[in-house]
Amino acid sequence: MAGETFRGGVEPGHFKYTTEDAVEKMAAPSKVYIPMEQHIGAPCEPVVSKGDKVKLGQKIGGSDSFVSAPIHSSVSGEVVDITEYNHPIGKKAKTIVIESDGQDEADYSGGYDSLDELSSDDIKKIVKEAGIVGMGGATFPTHVKLSPPEDKPIDTVIINGAECEPYLTSDHRMMLEQGEEIVFGLKSIMKAVNCDKGVIGIEDNKKDAIENMKELVKDENNIEVMVFETKYPQGAEKQLITVATGREVPSGGLPMDVGCVVNNVGTAIAISEAIRYNKPSYERVVTVTGPGVNEAGNFKIRVGTLASEVIENCAGMSQNTRKIVMGGPMMGLSQPSPEFPVIKGTSGLLLLTENEVQFFEEKPCISCGRCIDSCPVSLLPNMIAHFTENERLEQAEEYNALDCIECGCCTYICPTKRPLVQYIRMAKGEIMAKRRKN
Ligand code: SF4
Ligand code: SF4
């Protein structure tokens, strides 16, 4: 299967400087800032009040909506504030501030060594109560993914180990260090969706991870490690499905429409830990990298830890740091300051210096068509951006703006530096807002 690929895409370079850095556990900070919005769907409301004592892993936020995921404390200590605080998506959000007592007194224990005693519904319930969301950055509540309607049977579960974003290495390290948890998580998902075929998809630039995962599944006749060409955005859900199964998710469709469920390696580990140890999702592995950080590496970090403290833990940043990004350079979000918390979807913190950050003057489109060739979902990014710029949203919608996966390939490749993905993101937001109103 090596060498299989998808249409379009770009090769932005690897820059995976932290591949050899084993995951280190960062000490819990003295205070955590835990936002009530860490997933796609309904935000949570606090279920604790200022002054309450909480334990590690205790539920502190919840919602009655099915498409949501509860939020848990990442330390034991006292709730000292519930306030509006900086959120990495660029707004203020309701946030529970907890002062740690340094004890890490846990609210959870027990768990199951084996899946034998668990039904599909039991697994979905555990995943839901643990607050697990897509850890690759998409943050879609995982229990929803594991609950397709009866008329959408699942025949393939895919674990996404592509990690195609430049700079990021957290998934790579997890495949080397927590491979058994990934396999247990994959089997759990397969049982939850009543499917007997599992695939672990990895790009061919991660030879040691491929070897390790192959060794771990060598006696599993229904699990296969597939090796894919290193190309961005190989790790995008729909592209991964195409190369793994040859199926195309239709416009406006979901993986379940073609019999697939896709989860990131970090999500598989979170599922395994929830089942085996009853552990809620309150920490994650983050790659802290880029020429701006003094000591880069991969770290297990409590949700709610401020990026400024993470950077401090990495011996600070260099004076010529110009940009802090949550995530990778292609799909990550630039931050105005490091005073924002790590959330469940934070796969990386990237610090770029003036050498890497270039400011371009946007020039008119020269109709070269390179953006069209690079688009992995066969859109016309130049046209959608043009319609958006001229407030012709209906035409942007007709040109399937909502199918854009915001991979940024078009912007990356454009010789006149048109901010295409920014226009398309704007169009998507306005189209969705209009649909909600009608
Ligand atoms: S239009 Fe969207 S999906 Fe296509 S290349 Fe641009 S950002 Fe990616
Ligand atoms: S890549 Fe840029 S210049 Fe070329 S067609 Fe697309 S928008 Fe126009």
Side-chain angles (χ1 to χ4, degrees):
M1 190 52 73
E4 292 291 316
T5 190
F6 55 91
R7 181 204 181 277
V10 293
E11 291 175 18
H14 300 184
F15 309 103
K16 301 216 179 235
Y17 306 122
T18 50
T19 302
E20 301 299 323
D21 294 326
V23 177
E24 287 175 39
K25 206 170 164 64
M26 182 181 159
S30 57
K31 233 182 225 181
V32 286
Y33 295 75
I34 304 180
M36 294 292 97
E37 295 180 40
Q38 296 194 45
H39 47 265
I40 289 175
C44 289
E45 281 300 321
V47 295
V48 291
S49 306
K50 192 171 166 181
D52 284 358
K53 300 277 187 218
V54 293
K55 292 182 180 176
L56 175 67
Q58 183 179 327
K59 181 174 161 181
I60 56 170
S63 163
D64 291 335
S65 169
F66 181 61
V67 185
S68 187
I71 290 169
H72 303 81
S73 179
S74 57
V75 293
S76 62
E78 183 180 335
V79 176
V80 292
D81 205 358
I82 298 178
T83 184
E84 296 289 312
Y85 192 73
N86 303 339
H87 192 285
I89 66 164
K91 62 173 196 175
K92 301 264 185 200
K94 193 176 283 180
T95 299
I96 298 179
V97 186
I98 302 170
E99 203 163 81
S100 171
D101 59 13
Q103 300 301 308
D104 273 353
E105 191 188 343
D107 191 49
Y108 59 92
S109 61
Y112 300 88
D113 290 334
S114 136
L115 295 171
D116 293 345
E117 48 194 308
L118 296 171
S119 68
S120 160
D121 284 343
D122 292 335
I123 294 170
K124 287 182 230 176
K125 188 162 176 264
I126 290 169
V127 168
K128 183 176 183 196
E129 285 175 1
I132 297 170
V133 304
M135 307 284 269
T139 69
F140 194 76
T142 303
H143 68 273
V144 182
K145 269 193 181 180
L146 303 191
S147 310
E150 272 178 23
D151 62 343
K152 307 264 183 202
I154 302 300
D155 62 24
T156 312
V157 172
I158 303 172
I159 295 297
N160 185 354
E163 199 168 50
C164 58
E165 268 273 3
Y167 288 96
L168 303 187
T169 58
S170 51
D171 289 355
H172 188 160
R173 289 309 312 178
M174 283 188 270
M175 287 188 282
L176 290 175
E177 299 175 36
Q178 290 185 276
E180 279 176 35
E181 299 272 14
I182 293 169
V183 175
F184 189 90
L186 169 56
K187 289 180 179 173
S188 310
I189 300 166
M190 289 162 65
K191 184 156 187 178
V193 298
N194 300 313
C195 159
D196 61 8
K197 182 176 178 198
V199 169
I200 301 168
I202 310 175
E203 281 190 339
D204 59 11
N205 63 350
K206 301 175 186 68
K207 304 268 185 263
D208 49 359
I210 292 165
E211 256 172 50
N212 190 44
M213 296 313 300
K214 278 191 171 168
E215 177 63 24
L216 288 168
V217 300
K218 68 177 191 294
D219 298 325
E220 311 281 350
N221 56 16
N222 58 350
I223 298 180
E224 183 184 355
V225 174
M226 285 187 175
V227 181
F228 303 131
E229 182 185 333
T230 298
K231 184 170 81 162
Y232 181 84
Q234 181 66 77
E237 208 167 61
K238 293 179 182 177
Q239 284 58 47
L240 202 59
I241 289 171
T242 300
V243 295
T245 67
R247 302 171 195 164
E248 293 270 351
V249 179
S251 170
L254 293 169
M256 70 170 81
D257 295 324
V258 293
C260 295
V261 164
V262 182
N263 280 282
N264 168 267
V265 292
T267 313
I269 291 172
I271 291 171
S272 172
E273 291 180 340
I275 292 171
R276 284 169 140 174
Y277 320 122
N278 208 14
K279 181 184 165 188
S281 176
Y282 63 76
E283 61 184 356
R284 64 155 300 135
V285 179
V286 180
T287 303
V288 187
T289 185
V293 68
N294 288 329
E295 288 178 13
N298 296 294
F299 302 92
K300 188 169 269 188
I301 297 174
R302 309 284 177 109
V303 164
T305 305
L306 293 183
S308 54
E309 295 207 38
V310 175
I311 294 166
E312 206 49 50
N313 180 64
C314 296
M317 62 174 123
S318 72
Q319 277 189 341
N320 61 349
T321 300
R322 290 290 171 272
K323 200 172 192 179
I324 300 174
V325 179
M326 187 190 82
M330 298 297 285
M331 291 188 80
L333 298 170
S334 282
Q335 303 295 323
S337 92
E339 302 308 319
F340 66 92
V342 166
I343 59 173
K344 293 176 188 176
T346 308
S347 51
L349 293 176
L350 172 62
L351 279 69
L352 299 172
T353 64
E354 55 199 13
N355 294 333
E356 299 81 41
V357 180
Q358 295 163 354
F359 295 96
F360 296 104
E361 195 186 332
E362 180 191 340
K363 297 204 177 90
C365 173
I366 55 169
S367 300
C368 67
R370 290 171 73 179
C371 58
I372 300 167
D373 293 341
S374 75
C375 180
V377 284
S378 303
L379 299 179
L380 301 179
N382 53 342
M383 296 305 294
I384 301 173
H386 170 74
F387 295 138
T388 311
E389 205 175 1
N390 292 286
E391 298 178 11
R392 289 156 63 184
L393 279 179
E394 275 175 22
Q395 276 163 298
E397 193 173 356
E398 276 167 27
Y399 276 66
N400 298 319
L402 290 180
D403 281 346
C404 170
I405 58 170
E406 300 180 22
C407 65
C409 290
C410 51
T411 305
Y412 174 82
I413 209 81
C414 176
T416 61
K417 302 301 165 202
R418 299 261 297 144
L420 300 166
V421 66
Q422 286 81 356
Y423 280 126
I424 299 169
R425 197 177 282 145
M426 195 190 302
K428 286 173 72 179
E430 291 185 23
I431 294 165
M432 288 309 292
K434 201 169 119 204
R435 283 191 182 180
R436 277 194 295 271
K437 223 187 262 175
N438 294 338

